[in-house]
């Protein structure tokens, strides 16, 4: 199937009902007139933060990734594959989408491993099988995928959603947009950078301009761009008009190109 668009949504969107309505309203309006296969991949860091705080569990991040002790993965799985995924699914159903909620290991969508023992149950997502997603898209289903995966040994893993979306897009040779609550990649003066290369990204990372979660996002976008041979959009979800431009194939936010 051609012209597939994979959209990664930041977890903060899930807690912003107005923006979530705007997103699905824009998707619904566009897809009624233009039959384009779309897949959503989401995180849910805000929901994880809220849950761990209620449980009295301190959480820390290392290089933009959440340290996930194995004894905490059940709670994070509940927040991401449970609450976050079903809130997204509920909104999709409200807007009359024929939606399906999934995780990264349903039908081996991604191959899951452990990233770093020091991070605990934080996973990697390599290209898996696109068969289920192709089958769903061919039958007009709307997949919504959480960033929880399972290793071959049966261990639940918390995967960064940008990295998860990258692997999904690469398996389908799809267009990829990584959306968050900022307009794109910003320079040291907080101005939008419209085009980003690997060389420029390395310089900004070294100088401490791109850090934390944005560093993870940029590296994921560069990896996808290199494999797909096309630019990846890093942009914001707050402007409904930009979403329409994205769905129409126009460049928004920062265009990340591997070369």
């Amino acid at each position: 199937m051609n012209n597939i668009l994979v959209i990664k949504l930041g977890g903060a969107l899930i807690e912003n009902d107005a923006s979530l309505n705007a997103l699905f309203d824009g998707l619904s309006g566009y897809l009624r007139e233009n039959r384009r296969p779309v897949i959503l991949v989401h995180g849910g860091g805000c929901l994880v933060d809220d849950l761990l705080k209620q449980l009295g569990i301190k959480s820390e991040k290392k290089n933009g990734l959440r340290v996930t002790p194995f004894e905490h993965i059940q709670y994070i799985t509940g927040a991401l594959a449970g609450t976050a995924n079903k809130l997204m699914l509920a909104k999709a159903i409200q807007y009359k989408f024929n939606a399906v909620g999934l995780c990264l290991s349903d039908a081996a969508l991604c191959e899951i491993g452990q990233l770093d023992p020091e991070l605990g149950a934080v996973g990697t997502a390599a290209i898996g099988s696109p068969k289920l997603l192709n089958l769903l898209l061919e039958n007009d289903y709307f997949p919504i995928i959480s960033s929880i995966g399972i290793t071959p040994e049966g261990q639940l893993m918390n995967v960064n959603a940008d990295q998860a979306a990258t692997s999904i897009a690469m398996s389908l040779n799809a267009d990829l947009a990584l959306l968050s609550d900022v307009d794109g990649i910003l320079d040291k003066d907080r101005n939008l950078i419209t085009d980003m290369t690997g060389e420029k990204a390395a310089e900004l990372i070294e100088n401490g301009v791109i850090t934390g979660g944005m560093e993870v996002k940029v590296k994921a976008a560069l990896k996808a761009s290199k494999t797909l041979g096309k630019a990846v959009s890093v942009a914001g979800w707050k402007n409904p008009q930009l979403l329409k431009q994205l769905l129409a194939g126009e460049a928004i936010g920062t265009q990340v190109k591997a070369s």
Side-chain angles (χ1 to χ4, degrees), residues 6-19:
V6 175
I7 302 176
K8 180 267 176 177
L9 298 173
L13 175 62
I14 300 170
E15 294 195 322
N16 188 323
D17 197 57
S19 293

Side-chain angles (χ1 to χ4, degrees), residues 86-198:
K86 300 321 168 195
L87 284 172
M88 293 288 290
L89 191 65
K91 189 61 67 174
I93 290 171
Q94 179 184 335
Y95 278 86
K96 312 303 181 186
F97 284 83
N98 198 15
V100 179
L102 301 168
C103 80
L104 299 176
S105 292
D106 286 312
L109 299 182
C110 293
E111 293 184 3
I112 305 299
Q114 185 180 28
L115 178 61
D116 181 345
E118 291 187 3
L119 295 175
V122 173
T124 58
I127 295 174
S129 170
K131 289 182 181 179
L132 176 61
L133 290 176
N134 280 324
L135 180 65
L136 291 172
L137 295 174
E138 287 166 4
N139 288 278
D140 296 326
Y141 287 97
F142 185 76
I144 301 176
I145 307 171
S146 76
S147 57
I148 289 294
I150 306 170
T151 69
E153 296 76 29
Q155 174 61 54
L156 292 163
M157 286 286 175
N158 177 21
V159 179
N160 174 269
D162 293 308
Q163 296 172 348
T166 293
S167 292
I168 294 290
M170 290 191 299
S171 74
L172 295 163
N173 193 32
D175 292 337
L176 174 63
L178 305 177
L179 305 187
S180 68
D181 55 354
V182 295
D183 293 334
I185 304 170
L186 308 179
D187 64 19
K188 62 182 178 60
D189 298 316
R190 308 294 293 170
N191 296 314
L192 179 67
I193 302 171
T194 55
D195 294 286
M196 178 64 63
T197 63

